[in-house]
Amino acid sequence: MSDTIQALTRALNADIQGINAVSHNVANINTPGYQGVRAIADFGASTGLSRQVVLGDGPLKSTDRALDMALRGDGFFVADRGGQALLTRAGSFVRDAQGYLATRGGDRLMSDAGALLLPEGQVRVDENGVVWAEDQRVAQLTIRTADPAQLHAVEGGYRYSGELGDWAGRVQQGATEQSNVDAAAQTLQLIELTRHAESVQRVVSIYDRTLDVGINRIGDN
């Protein structure tokens, strides 16, 4: 395969991966806490590209529910799933059957006291993630930052293979975070990627015809 064909193939593949990322974002535009993705160069991947999470605050939806919490600033709640850390920004939590604070999927939220056993009655969560029962401190929620390049999407959040960092944002109780995907920006990106892919396809077609003509002329000689 000539260098020209290889370059055109890479360009077309990048457009396809970009379109796939946009499609994934649009499909999750109503998923609470969802962080958008983009296609980036990755020489370790078979296609030369991979998806990377794009961190950023999504809009808030007020619920006035004590166990709903939204994060402002890059960071994730840390939950336990089968002995491994699950990172999530989907902050609509529940009290499980044993009284622990948990995700909707049943993963228990972690704190400086381990899995967080909630006291009876209402609790208050301040902007630093400290849980209070009236004036008594219960625990500090575990909230950490992560390198987006090492986040691996799973149901309800992310697995993480790197070292967690300190978080410096704030918690808003009584609200949930919506997807951080900008529908207008995704639409514009889809149009641009589609047009570029069509242009590359036309170049491939022209190049193919040029090669065909060249080969036929060689045969005539």
Side-chain angles (χ1 to χ4, degrees):
M1 185 181 293
S2 71
D3 291 342
T4 302
I5 291 296
Q6 287 181 338
L8 291 171
T9 300
R10 286 195 298 270
L12 188 58
N13 185 59
D15 288 335
I16 293 171
Q17 293 297 321
I19 291 170
N20 287 340
V22 170
S23 298
H24 188 72
N25 287 337
V26 172
N28 286 279
I29 202 165
N30 293 317
T31 302
Y34 174 78
Q35 301 283 280
V37 297
R38 63 184 174 189
I40 63 167
D42 182 356
F43 297 109
S46 59
T47 61
L49 294 163
S50 64
R51 288 182 184 176
Q52 180 172 306
V53 176
V54 181
L55 301 179
D57 291 349
L60 294 182
K61 179 180 179 181
S62 179
T63 66
D64 294 325
R65 183 174 171 273
L67 297 185
D68 283 348
M69 304 170 213
L71 293 179
R72 303 287 83 185
D74 294 347
F76 297 88
F77 296 104
V78 181
D80 177 75
R81 176 177 289 181
Q84 292 186 314
L86 173 77
L87 306 186
T88 185
R89 287 180 70 97
S92 184
F93 302 127
V94 297
R95 187 191 301 261
D96 70 14
Q98 287 72 44
Y100 289 91
L101 183 63
T103 67
R104 295 279 178 176
D107 309 303
R108 289 178 175 174
L109 269 290
M110 301 305 294
S111 71
D112 59 1
L116 180 53
L117 181 62
L118 293 171
E120 294 296 327
Q122 288 282 79
V123 295
R124 176 174 61 87
V125 182
D126 67 24
E127 66 175 15
N128 297 313
V130 178
V131 181
W132 300 83
E134 296 184 352
D135 294 330
Q136 182 177 355
R137 182 186 186 280
V138 178
Q140 165 81 55
L141 289 172
T142 301
I143 305 172
R144 296 288 186 267
T145 60
D147 178 0
Q150 298 185 64
L151 290 170
H152 307 284
V154 295
E155 183 69 27
Y158 303 93
R159 293 287 190 204
Y160 186 60
S161 57
E163 183 176 347
L164 295 171
D166 294 331
W167 170 75
R170 62 183 176 86
V171 176
Q172 183 158 333
Q173 187 180 19
T176 55
E177 180 186 23
Q178 305 306 291
S179 165
N180 72 347
V181 173
D182 184 325
Q186 293 297 304
T187 300
L188 180 60
Q189 186 176 5
L190 180 60
I191 292 171
E192 291 175 347
L193 287 168
T194 301
R195 287 176 176 172
H196 188 265
E198 290 171 349
S199 298
V200 173
Q201 287 177 317
R202 286 195 293 271
V203 172
V204 170
S205 179
I206 293 170
Y207 187 73
D208 180 65
R209 289 198 299 270
T210 301
L211 285 179
D212 185 59
V213 170
I215 291 171
N216 288 334
R217 287 182 176 176
I218 291 172
D220 291 341
N221 293 330

